[in-house]
Amino acid sequence: MIEVESTKKMDTCQTFCYDEEVVERVQHKLENMNGVELIFKALSDATRLKVAYALTLEEELCVCDVANILNTTTATASHHLRYLRNMGLAKYEKRGKLVFYSLPDNHIRKLVQLAAEPNVEVR
């Protein structure tokens, strides 16, 4: 218990001061982050993250392909794909009786690929 207290005291400033230029510069850039949390919320589900990763490995996938990749029903695969689509993380194209999904742009592809790298250390 004593160690926790001493660690707690060490991880905060002992006096309050700040660099006004740095604060203004960073605060201005934070405005660009509005809505980004929704991307991470959508990808926080393990199945949706796997679906998104599968879409980085292929240019496009049919709902049936995704269901088989996940070893699940087409209804479940469709549900997750629809969620990703509604969040702007996937797009679809209907061709006859089949529906194909793909990633809308390289930003999402890069984000998911980076998260999937084996060197990412999770603590």
Side-chain angles (χ1 to χ4, degrees), residues 79-92 101:
H79 165 78
H80 288 292
L81 286 160
R82 189 177 317 109
Y83 189 97
L84 291 172
R85 185 187 80 219
N86 291 340
M87 298 303 286
L89 303 179
K91 61 182 183 176
Y92 77 106
Y101 278 83

Side-chain angles (χ1 to χ4, degrees), residues 41-72:
K41 181 179 178 183
L43 296 175
S44 68
D45 177 83
T47 302
R48 285 193 296 270
L49 184 58
K50 288 175 185 175
V51 171
Y53 182 62
L55 291 171
T56 70
L57 301 174
E58 294 293 328
E59 205 55 40
E60 63 181 12
L61 290 169
C62 171
V63 175
C64 301
D65 292 335
V66 173
N68 279 289
I69 289 167
L70 298 174
N71 291 318
T72 189

Side-chain angles (χ1 to χ4, degrees), residues 1 5 34 67:
M1 184 96 162
E5 290 295 324
N34 292 339

Side-chain angles (χ1 to χ4, degrees), residues 2-116:
I2 295 171
E3 287 182 40
V4 173
E5 290 295 324
S6 69
T7 303
K8 194 172 188 179
K9 290 179 184 177
M10 293 174 54
D11 67 356
T12 59
C13 295
Q14 292 179 346
T15 184
F16 182 76
C17 65
Y18 65 95
D19 185 329
E20 195 172 333
E21 284 183 33
V22 171
V23 170
E24 286 182 27
R25 187 172 55 243
V26 172
Q27 279 181 336
H28 178 70
K29 290 183 179 183
L30 288 182
E31 293 170 5
N32 297 332
M33 295 300 292
N34 292 339
V36 174
E37 74 280 3
L38 298 175
I39 294 171
F40 289 99
K41 181 179 178 183
L43 296 175
S44 68
D45 177 83
T47 302
R48 285 193 296 270
L49 184 58
K50 288 175 185 175
V51 171
Y53 182 62
L55 291 171
T56 70
L57 301 174
E58 294 293 328
E59 205 55 40
E60 63 181 12
L61 290 169
C62 171
V63 175
C64 301
D65 292 335
V66 173
N68 279 289
I69 289 167
L70 298 174
N71 291 318
T72 189
T73 65
T74 55
T76 298
S78 181
H79 165 78
H80 288 292
L81 286 160
R82 189 177 317 109
Y83 189 97
L84 291 172
R85 185 187 80 219
N86 291 340
M87 298 303 286
L89 303 179
K91 61 182 183 176
Y92 77 106
E93 181 181 335
K94 187 166 173 108
R95 295 186 209 141
K97 294 182 179 184
L98 300 176
V99 178
F100 290 87
Y101 278 83
S102 60
L103 297 176
D105 57 47
N106 277 332
H107 294 97
I108 302 303
R109 181 178 309 281
K110 289 176 187 177
L111 177 66
V112 173
Q113 286 173 334
L114 180 63

